Amino acid sequence: MANSRISDSSTADGGQPNIPLFKVFLPPREVLMPRLEEVLYSGQISEGAQVVEFERRFAQRIGCAGMLSFNSGTAALHGALALAGVQAGDDVVSTPMTAEPTNMAILHAGANVVWADVDPANGNLDARSLAEKITERTRAIMVVHYGGIPADIDAIRAVAQQRGIPVVEDAAHAMGARYDGRPIGVHSEFVMFSLQAIKHMTTVDGGMLACNSAHDLDKLLAEGRKFRWFGIDRAAPRTEVDVASVGYKYHMNNVTAAIGLAQLDYVDEVIGAHIANGRYFDVALQNIDGLRTCTWDAKAEPSYWFYTVMVRDRDNFCRHLAAHGIASSQAHKRNDRHSIFASSRCALPGVDAFYGSMVHIPCGWWLSESQRDYIVDVIRKGW
Ligand SMILES: Cc1ncc(COP(=O)(O)O)c(C=O)c1O
């Protein structure tokens, strides 16, 4: 539901709507541009004060133990795996029901992807399948909160803790979601948030890694800072540092951090609108022939990046929506179908069931109340 501070004039009511599945939210020009201009001409545009302040405020918002910024969510996932101790040749159990970067990051770490199946009710990693896929070679578990619906964290963490394996949550779609009354970002050793263009909150590109390791957090964060900048400790005089591990050029800069700091003043309203629209659809899309909404763990509170439904005759459903100016899409290809992951192929009946009928419809901050009613009416007409 759009409101005055974050409303979207380009999809205003009247005439045939043109309702996109994704839309970039940026703070108003008069708020953002002076801040950007200030940092752009400050002489300090790389990693500096804005990055430190953004990490601090993002961590405060989540309530996690430590926070590391990166120049993308993918880089943050690579960092998480490295900090979790994943090395070349190790196995990481993951889900194919996600965007490619989730699993590409596992390859960046030199590790092998082992697929676990998903719950066909929502596309999230299934804890029972996970338990079956863990072996002595497994060094980490990758969990995705697909579309903003939190996975069954309690069951997944129970498996992980029993086997002593760290969990990396890919929360690229789940900023603002909660599980067991607490924000996504505090439950596992590592939780990644993507700030890519079309996420709940964007800095154009960027990624944040919440670190909740109980053991020597300061050392872990220092390692993470080296990992994201050539293996170098930026605080030490350059000629006195010894590079002892591989590092990357993954750091965030002051310009993107300045966008992030401005976004933090709006993100609650943006996410609040996604949640209000999603909860509306949860009720309004019941009892429709040929359509099912997702179901999830009772402790999960989704943040509805998009709204996922399972439909009969998906192609016709999408054509019907398109004819009425409403975008819909599967958004992602099941990752196990890519040839880069050919050696990981296995039977995944839960993925088959979910992927075979799922499709996403818009539910973001840009929808007006009349547009979400309109979406429901169009769907109820049948396809
Ligand atoms: C589930 C998921 N994981 C990871 C990423 C990667 O994030 P980034 O684009 O910030 O690298 C994305 C999207 O871009 C995503 O949708």
Side-chain angles (χ1 to χ4, degrees), residues 202-243:
T202 184
T203 58
V204 181
D205 258 319
M208 303 302 279
L209 186 63
C211 305
N212 296 302
S213 178
H215 180 69
D216 211 342
L217 183 69
D218 289 340
K219 185 161 168 262
L220 183 94
L221 295 176
E223 270 177 46
R225 290 186 194 107
K226 285 200 276 185
F227 175 88
R228 75 182 179 194
W229 208 65
F230 309 122
I232 294 172
D233 174 2
R234 285 168 76 95
R238 189 67 173 261
T239 53
E240 286 173 27
V241 293
D242 172 47
V243 174

Side-chain angles (χ1 to χ4, degrees), residues 18-84:
N18 176 17
I19 307 176
L21 186 56
F22 302 111
K23 197 168 179 76
V24 174
F25 176 83
L26 283 174
R29 191 180 296 264
E30 62 278 14
V31 172
L32 184 58
M33 293 319 280
R35 293 209 199 183
L36 269 179
E37 207 171 313
E38 194 185 329
V39 69
L40 277 168
Y41 293 98
S42 67
Q44 300 199 334
I45 56 176
S46 190
E47 187 189 322
Q50 277 82 1
V51 173
V52 173
E53 177 62 3
F54 182 52
E55 281 181 339
R56 189 189 68 76
R57 284 193 53 199
F58 204 96
Q60 194 179 44
R61 184 192 157 78
I62 303 291
C64 55
M67 183 65 73
L68 290 167
S69 60
F70 288 82
N71 58 12
S72 73
T74 313
L77 285 178
H78 185 188
L81 293 166
L83 293 173

Side-chain angles (χ1 to χ4, degrees), residues 15 18 50 72 75 101 103 179 183 207 271 286 289 310 336 371 377:
N18 176 17
Q50 277 82 1
S72 73
N103 294 307
Y179 186 86
I271 292 173
Q286 297 308 317
D289 187 33
M310 277 78 77
D336 58 325
Q371 284 176 336
D377 285 348

Side-chain angles (χ1 to χ4, degrees), residues 57-67 145 150 153-154 157 161 167-171 174-193 208-214 217 299 301:
R57 284 193 53 199
F58 204 96
Q60 194 179 44
R61 184 192 157 78
I62 303 291
C64 55
M67 183 65 73
H145 305 301
I153 294 179
D154 276 355
R157 289 204 57 75
Q161 276 166 347
V167 174
V168 178
E169 291 175 40
D170 175 340
M175 187 170 174
R178 298 170 73 82
Y179 186 86
D180 199 14
R182 295 186 301 151
I184 291 296
V186 303
H187 302 89
S188 293
E189 286 78 0
F190 299 98
V191 186
M192 179 282 275
F193 298 91
M208 303 302 279
L209 186 63
C211 305
N212 296 302
S213 178
L217 183 69
K299 291 182 177 178
E301 296 173 57

Side-chain angles (χ1 to χ4, degrees), residues 71-75 77 98-102 144 146 170-173 192-197 199 205-207 305 332:
N71 58 12
S72 73
T74 313
L77 285 178
T98 183
E100 287 77 1
T102 308
V144 176
Y146 191 59
D170 175 340
H173 303 174
M192 179 282 275
F193 298 91
S194 165
L195 305 175
Q196 178 262 348
K199 296 302 183 316
D205 258 319
W305 183 47
H332 304 111

Side-chain angles (χ1 to χ4, degrees), residues 101-117:
T102 308
N103 294 307
M104 205 41 85
I106 296 172
L107 301 188
H108 293 165
N112 311 308
V113 173
V114 174
W115 301 124
D117 207 354

